[in-house]
Amino acid sequence: MQRGVVEGSKGVIFETIPEKLDINLPKTFQIADFGCSTGPNTFFAMKNIMEAVMLKYQSTQEANLRKTTPEFHVSFNDHVDNDFNTLFKTLPPNRPYFAVGVPGSFHCQLLPEASLHIAHSSYALQWLSKVPPEVMDKGSPAWNKGKIYCAGNEKEVTKAYFAQFKADMDAFLKARAQELVEGGLVVVQIPGVPNSKGVITEEKVDSFNSPLYLPSIEEVKMVVEMNKCFTIEKICSLSHPSNYDSRPLDIERTCADVRAIRENLMRDHFGSENMDQLFHLFGQNLQKNRLLYDKVVRQDVYHFALLKRKGDDII
């Protein structure tokens, strides 16, 4: 899923970064990937960005008859419990950049002020810093009874989740505004809007919600404009490359992918002893409803946004 997003956005990145990057090109070019996970998708994303930056350097060299090329420095960020050992063990051996790990929440400033030229985040900003308190409160109109995420069919639940998304997205952008040089870019790719049985009680299900929100493109625009630290240079919705894939759904691989993303969160709430059965049942449900699941997944969209940091007078 994420690799497809990286590849699907490559053309837009090659088009927009050379056009919109108008900073004084430095000898050491700093890039950061926020929400990098353990690879290898982050490595492909960084490669695409560096190639796009080189297109800018080459056009500048032709204009100024310069022959210098930059050294690239990449900061890989994720939560402190991310498996950075796996990340660094699988770094490309002939990579054209220096690498460093930066553990911590990307809702906070993590790098020195005005030290970064491009910030990147792919399929990470839909994860919220916390579950909205209202959806866990039985006395609230937003109590999300019978569901474990924002399904979009309850107005008060959606309102609570969007409020948390706005706050988190604003915190992310403010932190990046501190780290980026004036004119620096933010590249964002975020998925957008297009089971348990017996051993887990109904009360246990009702008390669990995923800190996950899939925004519309209008909501992404609203949050960026509200933040006031960035101009929107490019924003669009793209179809995931899997939409055009005619191969049948791979049940085993899909279960493995979902488990890799969700297991830690669900294990903390439901207990590790239930995880094997839970994902076994998930696989069975996929098999029974594969045509419906295939239809939903292959209508999937994600939002691409290229943002430029404004001047210091508005930060």
Side-chain angles (χ1 to χ4, degrees):
M1 178 69 76
Q2 294 179 9
R3 174 69 183 276
V5 169
V6 170
E7 290 301 315
S9 301
K10 186 175 181 178
V12 186
I13 285 173
F14 276 31
E15 173 191 344
T16 55
I17 286 182
E19 177 187 355
K20 301 298 184 180
L21 188 65
D22 58 5
I23 62 175
N24 293 325
L25 297 177
K27 177 173 174 49
T28 302
F29 197 97
Q30 302 279 355
I31 306 169
D33 189 24
F34 294 94
C36 65
S37 191
T38 59
N41 296 323
T42 184
F43 307 141
F44 295 111
M46 296 301 96
K47 180 176 180 290
N48 290 344
I49 288 178
M50 282 183 277
E51 288 179 359
V53 171
M54 284 305 302
L55 292 175
K56 179 70 173 184
Y57 266 80
Q58 289 163 4
S59 65
T60 303
Q61 288 170 20
E62 290 173 2
N64 299 321
L65 300 179
R66 294 195 307 165
K67 296 184 178 180
T68 58
T69 57
E71 291 183 321
F72 287 102
H73 185 276
V74 177
S75 297
F76 293 99
N77 157 259
D78 215 309
H79 286 290
V80 295
D81 57 356
N82 185 57
D83 187 357
F84 284 98
N85 286 332
T86 295
L87 176 75
F88 287 115
K89 283 178 182 178
T90 56
L91 276 168
N94 298 318
R95 62 190 179 276
Y97 55 87
F98 299 97
V100 63
V102 182
S105 170
F106 55 50
H107 295 113
C108 305
Q109 183 178 345
L110 296 168
L111 298 170
E113 187 173 340
S115 65
L116 190 60
H117 301 103
I118 293 181
H120 174 271
S121 185
S122 180
Y123 267 50
L125 291 174
Q126 74 273 16
W127 291 104
L128 307 179
S129 63
K130 64 179 181 180
V131 174
E134 306 96 306
V135 306
M136 306 292 290
D137 181 359
K138 292 183 179 181
S140 168
W143 184 39
N144 203 22
K145 179 175 172 55
K147 302 182 183 68
I148 62 171
Y149 63 98
C150 181
N153 52 1
E154 297 289 344
K155 180 179 178 181
E156 294 300 326
V157 172
T158 301
K159 182 179 178 181
Y161 267 94
F162 179 52
Q164 187 62 51
F165 173 77
K166 281 196 299 184
D168 285 348
M169 187 73 172
D170 186 57
F172 173 86
L173 292 174
K174 284 178 177 175
R176 303 296 79 79
Q178 294 298 319
E179 298 163 348
L180 283 161
V181 300
E182 183 176 342
L185 301 178
V186 176
V187 178
V188 170
Q189 293 156 118
I190 182 171
V193 180
N195 311 312
S196 69
K197 183 179 178 182
V199 296
I200 297 175
T201 65
E202 180 182 2
E203 182 179 1
K204 196 73 171 175
V205 173
D206 287 343
S207 65
F208 176 80
N209 277 272
S210 286
L212 176 71
Y213 184 74
L214 305 185
S216 68
I217 196 166
E218 289 78 13
E219 288 172 331
V220 175
K221 288 180 183 177
M222 180 192 305
V223 174
V224 174
E225 290 169 353
M226 176 189 71
N227 176 263
K228 298 182 180 179
C229 295
F230 296 88
T231 58
I232 299 175
E233 301 297 318
K234 174 82 172 181
I235 190 166
C236 59
S237 293
L238 302 174
S239 294
H240 193 280
S242 65
N243 295 6
Y244 312 109
D245 192 345
S246 60
R247 292 174 297 180
L249 178 67
D250 186 330
I251 299 292
E252 184 176 348
R253 180 176 176 179
T254 300
C255 285
D257 288 345
V258 172
R259 185 166 187 168
I261 296 170
R262 298 295 187 105
E263 183 173 10
N264 285 345
L265 184 65
M266 302 188 78
R267 183 177 57 208
D268 291 343
H269 188 83
F270 294 114
S272 59
E273 69 277 8
N274 294 316
M275 290 300 98
D276 287 342
Q277 184 177 1
L278 176 65
F279 286 102
H280 175 70
L281 290 170
F282 175 66
Q284 289 183 333
N285 285 334
L286 277 185
Q287 188 68 48
K288 292 177 184 177
N289 301 284
R290 62 186 306 152
L291 292 178
L292 177 60
Y293 184 86
D294 206 42
K295 180 179 178 182
V296 171
V297 168
R298 290 182 176 167
Q299 290 179 347
D300 193 22
V301 300
Y302 65 98
H303 307 316
F304 175 94
L306 183 78
L307 314 177
K308 181 180 291 187
R309 184 189 182 278
K310 294 181 179 180
D312 289 325
D313 55 327
I314 55 82
I315 302 299

